[in-house]
Amino acid sequence: MPTTQDMTSHLDPGLLDALQHQVAIFARRAEQTRLGGVGQVRNSMDRAAYLLLNRLDQEGPMGVKALAAGMGIDSSTVTRQVAPLVDTGLVKRTSHPEDGRAVVLQLSPRGQTRLEEVRSSRRELMAQVTDGWSEAERESFCTLLTRFNSALSARQSAAQDPAAPTS
């Protein structure tokens, strides 16, 4: 297996340094903007809550294990992150339709409304930040960012399970 040194020796170290620096700035700015997007602080939502609500919205009701597996995180982490969402009425626990003993998590109507408020605020922020970009530039950026996130996810999966494929 090639070493990290072997893999990067033919790449421009200055470009890699610039890339890692810009990713670090991006991560910090992304965290800062989550605190409200556009509009009032009421439109803020932490990253974990947003990702959990978004997954439940896109994929429907599911158990903690399925939610954790789909997000690539530990079940205990999902349980801890879901608790305040249940407490605030954004997520509800219901019985599994086929196995009444099992519990599934489901986006509540209040959660759906709240998620849409946050999405709308974030959409407006993305529109403002990319004002002056062409549609092709937005699509290209989204494609590259998706590719970057997928590569990071594959790398994390491989680190957790060395037998797992990385592509």
Side-chain angles (χ1 to χ4, degrees):
M1 173 169 245
T3 65
T4 302
Q5 183 66 30
D6 295 337
M7 292 169 45
T8 61
S9 62
H10 68 283
L11 301 174
D12 178 357
L15 181 57
L16 294 175
D17 286 346
L19 179 59
Q20 68 80 22
H21 181 75
Q22 289 303 317
V23 167
I25 290 172
F26 173 77
R28 183 180 65 215
R29 298 269 190 258
E31 271 306 297
Q32 290 170 337
T33 59
R34 75 151 173 93
L35 298 175
V38 174
Q40 300 177 19
V41 175
R42 67 178 178 79
N43 288 329
S44 70
M45 180 179 288
D46 73 57
R47 180 183 62 242
Y50 177 78
L51 292 172
L52 286 166
L53 294 178
N54 199 54
R55 183 160 293 268
L56 288 172
D57 182 48
Q58 291 179 347
E59 297 185 22
M62 66 181 77
V64 169
K65 286 183 182 179
L67 189 54
M71 298 183 71
I73 58 178
D74 188 76
S75 292
S76 63
T77 302
V78 168
T79 300
R80 191 172 53 255
Q81 291 174 346
V82 164
L85 300 176
V86 171
D87 292 345
T88 58
L90 300 178
V91 170
K92 57 185 178 178
R93 289 186 175 104
T94 60
S95 296
H96 191 284
E98 295 160 11
D99 180 2
R101 298 168 298 168
V103 173
V104 294
L105 301 169
Q106 180 176 346
L107 194 62
S108 71
R110 182 168 184 242
Q112 183 69 54
T113 299
R114 183 77 179 94
L115 181 59
E116 189 47 46
E117 288 172 355
V118 172
R119 280 181 180 156
S120 177
S121 176
R122 290 180 176 192
R123 253 194 269 22
E124 180 61 27
L125 177 64
M126 291 300 105
Q128 288 179 13
V129 169
T130 62
D131 184 44
W133 294 24
S134 69
E135 198 65 21
E137 287 171 322
R138 285 186 182 107
E139 288 175 8
S140 179
F141 182 70
C142 188
T143 298
L144 290 170
L145 193 55
T146 300
R147 185 175 168 190
F148 184 81
N149 283 329
S150 294
L152 284 176
S153 181
R155 187 174 194 287
Q156 180 183 11
S157 293
Q160 291 172 351
D161 180 8
T166 56
S167 351

